[in-house]
Every structure is written in C-alpha cells, then in structure tokens.
Amino acid sequence: IAILEGDDYWINNSKLEMQVTAFQKDSRIGLVHTDYKILHQESGKISKSPKINRDRGRELQGANLFLNLISSSWICAGTIMFKKNVLDQIDFAPFLKNECNTVDLIIELQALLMYEIKYLPEPTLIYRVSSTSISNSSSFKKAEKFADTKFFIRKFFLEWNNFPPSLIKKERKKKNSSLFIKAIKTKDMAGIKKYIGKTSFIGLFIYFQNVLLKKLYR
C-alpha cells in the first residue's frame, strides 16, 4: 500500500516501481520511504527536504528502529509504501476513540515493530507546507491537538509493547515543553499559562537540542 494524501503529489514516474523492487529484493523489508521536496505554499518556493531527515534516512535503515521513530520522526508519510499485513495487526478503535488526526505514525510504528525499513534517496514527492497545515499551523489549538495526537500514539505503542514508563514520561516532557514554546511564539496566553507549570528543564533541553541539530544540518 502506498500513501498519497492531502494536497501533496508524486513527482517521480518510477516511484512505485522502485519501492516494489526493494520489497522483492529483501523479504525482511516491510516499509520503504524516499526523499522528497517541499513546496512553500505562500511563496511558491520549492526547497530540498531537511538535510537532517535525508541523513537519518540513509543512517536509519534495517531492523530495530522502533524507538528511533518514537523519539523523532524522519519519515515523510507521502513517500511510504508498506506491506498490507501491517494493517492487519493494528486495532484502530483506540485511535478513532481519541480522534487521532494522523494515521501515518500509527502505520510506521507498527511496520517498524514487524519489519526492517529501506530508504531511497531519490525525491518522489512534493510536500506542501502552509500556515494552515496541521503540522505547521500558526494556530496554537491546532498545534496542541496535533501534538496530543502524536503523544497518544507513541504512549499507546510504548505501553502496548511493555516499554519502561520512563520513556513515556520523557515523551510527555518533550510534548509539554514544545507546546510551551509554541504558545509563546503564537502569543497564546491561555497556552502559556497552561504549559508553563508543565514545562521541565529536560524537555526544554531536548527541544532546543533538536532545533540546533536542524540548523546545523541545513
């Protein structure tokens, strides 16, 4: 199954063929993703994907990468192809009940529990980014809902697979600290008041560490 959603679009006529070939060469592979380009909707400018994501794509291949994806996502959903039986192992009821507004992370985490993954360096997708995109929204409420959804998914998978509670606490600290920073950036006073007491030094350290890494890898 290949995903193409929202207003993104594929740009490589060989995308599906390349991914199917990767599956045929190695039965251990259950998910194949690729590089992509970014269309900045307001300006019309097209740029490369973040270098840190390209480097992670090349470095993070093979097996036992579940915790890497729990910690930080480097996979672009519109580029992925995965084996259908990954879906057979997912009970979507808890995610529907929680009104999760993203499905790609669920599929990717389940795939990484079952299989190895493969990265292809060829750009195959135009990924649109705008101020109204759910993952890049200038609205604090939308950003909060998206962050809560990703945390719920990560927490579900960690608990379901009996990982230590300390990993869940770490993810919660990261979420709360990033939302505190988002509230400051969007000048959302209700959000600032809500998360200032939930923000931790560790969470802020991880947040700014990730920001610095992204700048260094541009």
Side-chain angles (χ1 to χ4, degrees), residues 105-126:
L105 182 59
I106 302 169
I107 293 169
E108 291 161 9
L109 286 170
Q110 182 61 46
L112 266 63
L113 281 172
M114 300 168 63
Y115 293 107
E116 296 186 8
I117 67 169
K118 174 76 174 177
Y119 171 73
L120 304 177
E122 295 85 352
T124 67
L125 176 87
I126 291 291

Side-chain angles (χ1 to χ4, degrees), residues 23 26-32 60-67 69 74-75 81-90 107-118:
F23 285 120
D26 191 342
S27 63
R28 295 171 297 180
I29 295 172
L31 184 146
V32 181
L60 299 176
Q61 299 190 71
N64 303 318
L65 295 171
F66 173 80
L67 288 179
L69 190 59
W74 69 96
I75 300 173
M81 178 184 283
F82 59 95
K83 289 185 175 178
K84 179 182 175 297
N85 66 334
V86 170
L87 290 182
D88 298 334
Q89 304 302 315
I90 302 173
I107 293 169
E108 291 161 9
L109 286 170
Q110 182 61 46
L112 266 63
L113 281 172
M114 300 168 63
Y115 293 107
E116 296 186 8
I117 67 169
K118 174 76 174 177

Side-chain angles (χ1 to χ4, degrees), residues 139-150:
S139 164
F140 176 76
K141 288 297 181 183
K142 288 184 178 179
E144 183 181 37
K145 173 60 178 173
F146 190 57
D148 285 342
T149 289
K150 291 193 294 183

Side-chain angles (χ1 to χ4, degrees), residues 17-216:
E17 181 182 359
M18 289 189 299
Q19 291 178 301
V20 169
T21 299
F23 285 120
Q24 291 173 338
K25 286 183 176 179
D26 191 342
S27 63
R28 295 171 297 180
I29 295 172
L31 184 146
V32 181
H33 67 110
T34 77
D35 190 17
Y36 59 98
K37 295 182 179 180
I38 300 172
L39 170 59
H40 303 271
Q41 193 68 31
E42 280 78 11
S43 66
K45 179 183 176 182
I46 294 178
S47 64
K48 293 181 179 180
S49 61
K51 186 175 184 296
I52 190 170
N53 284 358
R54 299 197 302 273
D55 288 347
R56 284 174 175 170
R58 284 188 286 267
E59 294 166 8
L60 299 176
Q61 299 190 71
N64 303 318
L65 295 171
F66 173 80
L67 288 179
N68 294 82
L69 190 59
I70 284 286
S71 177
S72 179
S73 180
W74 69 96
I75 300 173
C76 181
T79 73
I80 71 172
M81 178 184 283
F82 59 95
K83 289 185 175 178
K84 179 182 175 297
N85 66 334
V86 170
L87 290 182
D88 298 334
Q89 304 302 315
I90 302 173
D91 177 9
F92 283 98
F95 306 111
L96 292 170
K97 184 178 179 180
N98 197 64
E99 298 182 352
C100 291
N101 52 13
T102 180
V103 70
D104 51 284
L105 182 59
I106 302 169
I107 293 169
E108 291 161 9
L109 286 170
Q110 182 61 46
L112 266 63
L113 281 172
M114 300 168 63
Y115 293 107
E116 296 186 8
I117 67 169
K118 174 76 174 177
Y119 171 73
L120 304 177
E122 295 85 352
T124 67
L125 176 87
I126 291 291
Y127 173 59
R128 293 183 194 254
V129 173
S130 72
S131 58
T132 59
S133 300
I134 189 169
S135 59
N136 191 49
S137 179
S138 57
S139 164
F140 176 76
K141 288 297 181 183
K142 288 184 178 179
E144 183 181 37
K145 173 60 178 173
F146 190 57
D148 285 342
T149 289
K150 291 193 294 183
F151 173 72
F152 176 85
I153 293 169
R154 289 183 164 108
K155 178 175 178 287
F156 177 90
F157 273 91
L158 286 170
E159 290 179 338
W160 182 41
N161 291 280
N162 299 313
F163 282 95
S166 58
L167 291 178
I168 297 173
K169 290 180 181 179
K170 181 180 178 182
E171 290 303 313
R172 183 180 284 109
K173 288 177 180 179
K174 286 165 55 180
K175 175 185 77 78
N176 290 340
S177 298
S178 66
L179 285 173
F180 176 62
I181 298 297
K182 183 70 174 182
I184 294 175
K185 288 181 176 179
T186 57
K187 300 178 181 179
D188 190 296
M189 292 307 300
I192 293 172
K193 290 178 181 178
K194 181 177 180 179
Y195 287 98
I196 190 169
K198 298 179 179 181
T199 301
S200 67
F201 172 78
I202 293 175
L204 288 173
F205 175 79
I206 294 171
Y207 174 84
F208 285 110
Q209 185 183 48
N210 289 336
V211 170
L212 179 61
L213 279 173
K214 287 178 181 179
K215 287 184 178 180
L216 290 173

